Amino acid sequence: MGSPRTSANGNAAQLTNDMDDYMSMTIPDSASKLAQSETSVQRWGRKRREAESRAHQLSKAELAHQAQLNRDEALNTSLPVCSKGYQMMTRLGFKAGSALGKEGNEHARKEPLGVAVKEGRAGIGMERERKRKFEEDFNNHDGSKKRETEGDFRDRQAREREKKRTEGLCWGAMRVLEEFESDHSTTGEGAREEEDNTCRSLSEPSAGINLLWRGLVKVRDEKERHRRMRYDLQQGLSRTAAYEDPDEERQESQIWGIEEEEIEVEDLELNNFNTLEPAERLRRMVEYLREKWRYCFWCKCQYPDSLMDGCPGFTEDEHG
């Protein structure tokens, strides 16, 4: 049996060995443990995701958002103690949490000025001016402009449809007037000329035509002029190089201003007549047909005498 002294020394040595084993113990890394536990397919997928995240190019919106986060984080972070600026301010008597300037100044700032980032491209005072105009318009608004109700909208649509229908009736009355005037302007033998002969040429002035149906002739002349221009353009593009046009030199001289071309004079009388309401223009045409040609536009009939016996009346409503 050993002595107590020897037993105590043995226990101390055993405790020392246990402490040495604890200090020399190694903790396995989680990454190495994960690498040991994952399969080759999982490792390939992890490396692929890491490569994609490194190669990903941030868009403009993502870059702007990241810049805003970094800016907010920097503004919300106080001045670090290790910075040169903080050390210089400390030597000059600044203390954390106190204000700059003389002591006892109640209005001194304890926090730096906030930064307001301007995102638009307008001037500095543009937003303030826009707000001022908006407030003036709001204060000066007298409530006269009201929202259009459903009934007002229907009434307006009905008026527009009626105006369009009346405009179509005006064109029909002008065609009737043209037919009567053309038949009356034929030769004394009473035989009506061919349509090509009765049509007025483009160079003939329109001042001698009745004002009531002069607009129809003007529109027809414009359509004919455009048709001829398209036809001449197509002929010019499709002809061969050996083709010679005897009128080409004269046409080029008109284009370059060497030969003066007849210019259409603006018809002020017709313009003033077209400014009238369609109902007023139609009334004048119907009245002219009844007085001169004994023709009722609503009955579609020409009567033998000026009494026009059998015609219900002058207006469309009287004809039902």
Side-chain angles (χ1 to χ4, degrees), residues 177-197:
L177 281 170
E178 181 188 18
E179 183 178 356
F180 278 110
E181 298 287 340
S182 300
D183 291 343
H184 181 70
S185 61
T186 53
T187 58
E189 298 177 357
R192 186 176 179 179
E193 299 179 358
E194 296 293 334
E195 184 178 358
D196 296 338
N197 296 330

PDB file of all heavy atoms in Angstrom, residues 177-197:
ATOM      1  N   LEU A 177     -78.389  69.367-106.492  1.00  0.00           N
ATOM      2  CA  LEU A 177     -78.230  70.674-107.128  1.00  0.00           C
ATOM      3  C   LEU A 177     -77.311  70.596-108.339  1.00  0.00           C
ATOM      4  O   LEU A 177     -77.581  71.223-109.378  1.00  0.00           O
ATOM      5  CB  LEU A 177     -77.671  71.671-106.112  1.00  0.00           C
ATOM      6  CG  LEU A 177     -78.667  72.256-105.106  1.00  0.00           C
ATOM      7  CD1 LEU A 177     -77.929  73.019-104.020  1.00  0.00           C
ATOM      8  CD2 LEU A 177     -79.651  73.174-105.817  1.00  0.00           C
ATOM      9  N   GLU A 178     -76.245  69.835-108.235  1.00  0.00           N
ATOM     10  CA  GLU A 178     -75.342  69.701-109.372  1.00  0.00           C
ATOM     11  C   GLU A 178     -76.048  69.051-110.555  1.00  0.00           C
ATOM     12  O   GLU A 178     -75.845  69.466-111.710  1.00  0.00           O
ATOM     13  CB  GLU A 178     -74.131  68.866-108.954  1.00  0.00           C
ATOM     14  CG  GLU A 178     -73.116  68.687-110.069  1.00  0.00           C
ATOM     15  CD  GLU A 178     -72.026  67.701-109.704  1.00  0.00           C
ATOM     16  OE1 GLU A 178     -72.238  66.916-108.756  1.00  0.00           O
ATOM     17  OE2 GLU A 178     -70.974  67.694-110.371  1.00  0.00           O
ATOM     18  N   GLU A 179     -76.879  68.089-110.294  1.00  0.00           N
ATOM     19  CA  GLU A 179     -77.595  67.426-111.389  1.00  0.00           C
ATOM     20  C   GLU A 179     -78.551  68.388-112.093  1.00  0.00           C
ATOM     21  O   GLU A 179     -78.604  68.432-113.331  1.00  0.00           O
ATOM     22  CB  GLU A 179     -78.359  66.229-110.831  1.00  0.00           C
ATOM     23  CG  GLU A 179     -79.083  65.422-111.891  1.00  0.00           C
ATOM     24  CD  GLU A 179     -79.789  64.215-111.320  1.00  0.00           C
ATOM     25  OE1 GLU A 179     -79.639  63.976-110.091  1.00  0.00           O
ATOM     26  OE2 GLU A 179     -80.486  63.526-112.085  1.00  0.00           O
ATOM     27  N   PHE A 180     -79.285  69.185-111.319  1.00  0.00           N
ATOM     28  CA  PHE A 180     -80.196  70.146-111.937  1.00  0.00           C
ATOM     29  C   PHE A 180     -79.442  71.217-112.707  1.00  0.00           C
ATOM     30  O   PHE A 180     -79.825  71.574-113.836  1.00  0.00           O
ATOM     31  CB  PHE A 180     -81.083  70.793-110.864  1.00  0.00           C
ATOM     32  CG  PHE A 180     -82.264  69.955-110.481  1.00  0.00           C
ATOM     33  CD1 PHE A 180     -82.339  69.359-109.234  1.00  0.00           C
ATOM     34  CD2 PHE A 180     -83.331  69.765-111.368  1.00  0.00           C
ATOM     35  CE1 PHE A 180     -83.431  68.591-108.875  1.00  0.00           C
ATOM     36  CE2 PHE A 180     -84.430  69.001-111.020  1.00  0.00           C
ATOM     37  CZ  PHE A 180     -84.476  68.410-109.764  1.00  0.00           C
ATOM     38  N   GLU A 181     -78.363  71.744-112.128  1.00  0.00           N
ATOM     39  CA  GLU A 181     -77.609  72.804-112.789  1.00  0.00           C
ATOM     40  C   GLU A 181     -76.925  72.284-114.046  1.00  0.00           C
ATOM     41  O   GLU A 181     -76.841  72.998-115.056  1.00  0.00           O
ATOM     42  CB  GLU A 181     -76.560  73.369-111.819  1.00  0.00           C
ATOM     43  CG  GLU A 181     -77.124  74.019-110.571  1.00  0.00           C
ATOM     44  CD  GLU A 181     -77.783  75.364-110.837  1.00  0.00           C
ATOM     45  OE1 GLU A 181     -77.477  75.958-111.893  1.00  0.00           O
ATOM     46  OE2 GLU A 181     -78.591  75.812-110.002  1.00  0.00           O
ATOM     47  N   SER A 182     -76.424  71.046-113.992  1.00  0.00           N
ATOM     48  CA  SER A 182     -75.767  70.485-115.172  1.00  0.00           C
ATOM     49  C   SER A 182     -76.761  70.244-116.295  1.00  0.00           C
ATOM     50  O   SER A 182     -76.473  70.488-117.468  1.00  0.00           O
ATOM     51  CB  SER A 182     -75.075  69.168-114.798  1.00  0.00           C
ATOM     52  OG  SER A 182     -74.099  69.388-113.800  1.00  0.00           O
ATOM     53  N   ASP A 183     -77.969  69.758-115.982  1.00  0.00           N
ATOM     54  CA  ASP A 183     -78.991  69.549-117.004  1.00  0.00           C
ATOM     55  C   ASP A 183     -79.439  70.864-117.611  1.00  0.00           C
ATOM     56  O   ASP A 183     -79.719  70.951-118.806  1.00  0.00           O
ATOM     57  CB  ASP A 183     -80.193  68.827-116.392  1.00  0.00           C
ATOM     58  CG  ASP A 183     -79.856  67.393-116.028  1.00  0.00           C
ATOM     59  OD1 ASP A 183     -78.832  66.893-116.531  1.00  0.00           O
ATOM     60  OD2 ASP A 183     -80.587  66.784-115.228  1.00  0.00           O
ATOM     61  N   HIS A 184     -79.478  71.901-116.814  1.00  0.00           N
ATOM     62  CA  HIS A 184     -79.932  73.198-117.320  1.00  0.00           C
ATOM     63  C   HIS A 184     -78.892  73.871-118.201  1.00  0.00           C
ATOM     64  O   HIS A 184     -79.224  74.676-119.070  1.00  0.00           O
ATOM     65  CB  HIS A 184     -80.270  74.109-116.140  1.00  0.00           C
ATOM     66  CG  HIS A 184     -80.774  75.448-116.561  1.00  0.00           C
ATOM     67  ND1 HIS A 184     -82.019  75.630-117.158  1.00  0.00           N
ATOM     68  CD2 HIS A 184     -80.215  76.690-116.476  1.00  0.00           C
ATOM     69  CE1 HIS A 184     -82.203  76.913-117.408  1.00  0.00           C
ATOM     70  NE2 HIS A 184     -81.119  77.577-117.006  1.00  0.00           N
ATOM     71  N   SER A 185     -77.599  73.549-117.971  1.00  0.00           N
ATOM     72  CA  SER A 185     -76.525  74.187-118.731  1.00  0.00           C
ATOM     73  C   SER A 185     -76.194  73.450-120.026  1.00  0.00           C
ATOM     74  O   SER A 185     -75.192  73.750-120.655  1.00  0.00           O
ATOM     75  CB  SER A 185     -75.255  74.278-117.867  1.00  0.00           C
ATOM     76  OG  SER A 185     -74.820  72.973-117.502  1.00  0.00           O
ATOM     77  N   THR A 186     -77.019  72.480-120.436  1.00  0.00           N
ATOM     78  CA  THR A 186     -76.769  71.760-121.694  1.00  0.00           C
ATOM     79  C   THR A 186     -77.153  72.632-122.879  1.00  0.00           C
ATOM     80  O   THR A 186     -77.681  73.727-122.747  1.00  0.00           O
ATOM     81  CB  THR A 186     -77.589  70.462-121.728  1.00  0.00           C
ATOM     82  OG1 THR A 186     -78.969  70.774-121.463  1.00  0.00           O
ATOM     83  CG2 THR A 186     -77.087  69.487-120.662  1.00  0.00           C
ATOM     84  N   THR A 187     -76.923  72.142-124.102  1.00  0.00           N
ATOM     85  CA  THR A 187     -77.178  72.905-125.325  1.00  0.00           C
ATOM     86  C   THR A 187     -78.669  73.060-125.553  1.00  0.00           C
ATOM     87  O   THR A 187     -79.503  72.385-124.949  1.00  0.00           O
ATOM     88  CB  THR A 187     -76.539  72.182-126.518  1.00  0.00           C
ATOM     89  OG1 THR A 187     -77.093  70.858-126.591  1.00  0.00           O
ATOM     90  CG2 THR A 187     -75.027  72.081-126.322  1.00  0.00           C
ATOM     91  N   GLY A 188     -79.044  73.951-126.442  1.00  0.00           N
ATOM     92  CA  GLY A 188     -80.451  74.209-126.715  1.00  0.00           C
ATOM     93  C   GLY A 188     -81.155  73.056-127.374  1.00  0.00           C
ATOM     94  O   GLY A 188     -82.387  73.025-127.425  1.00  0.00           O
ATOM     95  N   GLU A 189     -80.429  72.105-127.955  1.00  0.00           N
ATOM     96  CA  GLU A 189     -81.076  70.962-128.574  1.00  0.00           C
ATOM     97  C   GLU A 189     -81.709  70.042-127.542  1.00  0.00           C
ATOM     98  O   GLU A 189     -82.531  69.211-127.891  1.00  0.00           O
ATOM     99  CB  GLU A 189     -80.040  70.190-129.402  1.00  0.00           C
ATOM    100  CG  GLU A 189     -79.447  71.036-130.541  1.00  0.00           C
ATOM    101  CD  GLU A 189     -78.386  70.257-131.278  1.00  0.00           C
ATOM    102  OE1 GLU A 189     -78.116  69.115-130.851  1.00  0.00           O
ATOM    103  OE2 GLU A 189     -77.839  70.777-132.260  1.00  0.00           O
ATOM    104  N   GLY A 190     -81.306  70.189-126.244  1.00  0.00           N
ATOM    105  CA  GLY A 190     -81.917  69.392-125.186  1.00  0.00           C
ATOM    106  C   GLY A 190     -81.218  68.089-124.918  1.00  0.00           C
ATOM    107  O   GLY A 190     -81.602  67.354-124.006  1.00  0.00           O
ATOM    108  N   ALA A 191     -80.220  67.749-125.699  1.00  0.00           N
ATOM    109  CA  ALA A 191     -79.495  66.495-125.487  1.00  0.00           C
ATOM    110  C   ALA A 191     -78.411  66.725-124.441  1.00  0.00           C
ATOM    111  O   ALA A 191     -77.653  67.690-124.517  1.00  0.00           O
ATOM    112  CB  ALA A 191     -78.872  66.015-126.806  1.00  0.00           C
ATOM    113  N   ARG A 192     -78.376  65.874-123.480  1.00  0.00           N
ATOM    114  CA  ARG A 192     -77.370  65.989-122.403  1.00  0.00           C
ATOM    115  C   ARG A 192     -76.026  65.473-122.902  1.00  0.00           C
ATOM    116  O   ARG A 192     -75.963  64.441-123.553  1.00  0.00           O
ATOM    117  CB  ARG A 192     -77.812  65.184-121.184  1.00  0.00           C
ATOM    118  CG  ARG A 192     -76.885  65.367-119.985  1.00  0.00           C
ATOM    119  CD  ARG A 192     -77.410  64.626-118.797  1.00  0.00           C
ATOM    120  NE  ARG A 192     -76.526  64.769-117.643  1.00  0.00           N
ATOM    121  CZ  ARG A 192     -76.771  64.230-116.465  1.00  0.00           C
ATOM    122  NH1 ARG A 192     -77.864  63.488-116.289  1.00  0.00           N
ATOM    123  NH2 ARG A 192     -75.926  64.426-115.469  1.00  0.00           N
ATOM    124  N   GLU A 193     -74.972  66.223-122.616  1.00  0.00           N
ATOM    125  CA  GLU A 193     -73.645  65.848-123.071  1.00  0.00           C
ATOM    126  C   GLU A 193     -73.119  64.699-122.217  1.00  0.00           C
ATOM    127  O   GLU A 193     -73.680  64.346-121.179  1.00  0.00           O
ATOM    128  CB  GLU A 193     -72.700  67.049-122.964  1.00  0.00           C
ATOM    129  CG  GLU A 193     -73.146  68.226-123.821  1.00  0.00           C
ATOM    130  CD  GLU A 193     -72.196  69.404-123.678  1.00  0.00           C
ATOM    131  OE1 GLU A 193     -71.246  69.263-122.883  1.00  0.00           O
ATOM    132  OE2 GLU A 193     -72.408  70.418-124.345  1.00  0.00           O
ATOM    133  N   GLU A 194     -72.056  64.124-122.678  1.00  0.00           N
ATOM    134  CA  GLU A 194     -71.437  63.030-121.962  1.00  0.00           C
ATOM    135  C   GLU A 194     -70.850  63.541-120.635  1.00  0.00           C
ATOM    136  O   GLU A 194     -70.594  64.737-120.478  1.00  0.00           O
ATOM    137  CB  GLU A 194     -70.313  62.396-122.799  1.00  0.00           C
ATOM    138  CG  GLU A 194     -70.803  61.751-124.075  1.00  0.00           C
ATOM    139  CD  GLU A 194     -71.670  60.536-123.778  1.00  0.00           C
ATOM    140  OE1 GLU A 194     -71.480  59.927-122.698  1.00  0.00           O
ATOM    141  OE2 GLU A 194     -72.530  60.222-124.617  1.00  0.00           O
ATOM    142  N   GLU A 195     -70.659  62.641-119.714  1.00  0.00           N
ATOM    143  CA  GLU A 195     -70.199  63.022-118.381  1.00  0.00           C
ATOM    144  C   GLU A 195     -68.803  63.642-118.420  1.00  0.00           C
ATOM    145  O   GLU A 195     -68.512  64.586-117.696  1.00  0.00           O
ATOM    146  CB  GLU A 195     -70.183  61.795-117.466  1.00  0.00           C
ATOM    147  CG  GLU A 195     -69.811  62.123-116.032  1.00  0.00           C
ATOM    148  CD  GLU A 195     -69.863  60.886-115.160  1.00  0.00           C
ATOM    149  OE1 GLU A 195     -70.228  59.816-115.702  1.00  0.00           O
ATOM    150  OE2 GLU A 195     -69.544  60.994-113.970  1.00  0.00           O
ATOM    151  N   ASP A 196     -67.965  63.145-119.308  1.00  0.00           N
ATOM    152  CA  ASP A 196     -66.611  63.700-119.396  1.00  0.00           C
ATOM    153  C   ASP A 196     -66.632  65.127-119.909  1.00  0.00           C
ATOM    154  O   ASP A 196     -65.765  65.934-119.558  1.00  0.00           O
ATOM    155  CB  ASP A 196     -65.739  62.843-120.300  1.00  0.00           C
ATOM    156  CG  ASP A 196     -65.534  61.448-119.724  1.00  0.00           C
ATOM    157  OD1 ASP A 196     -65.702  61.291-118.494  1.00  0.00           O
ATOM    158  OD2 ASP A 196     -65.234  60.515-120.507  1.00  0.00           O
ATOM    159  N   ASN A 197     -67.605  65.459-120.760  1.00  0.00           N
ATOM    160  CA  ASN A 197     -67.695  66.816-121.300  1.00  0.00           C
ATOM    161  C   ASN A 197     -68.330  67.784-120.308  1.00  0.00           C
ATOM    162  O   ASN A 197     -68.055  68.979-120.337  1.00  0.00           O
ATOM    163  CB  ASN A 197     -68.504  66.815-122.603  1.00  0.00           C
ATOM    164  CG  ASN A 197     -67.823  66.005-123.684  1.00  0.00           C
ATOM    165  OD1 ASN A 197     -66.597  65.897-123.718  1.00  0.00           O
ATOM    166  ND2 ASN A 197     -68.618  65.406-124.571  1.00  0.00           N
TER     167      ASN A 197
END
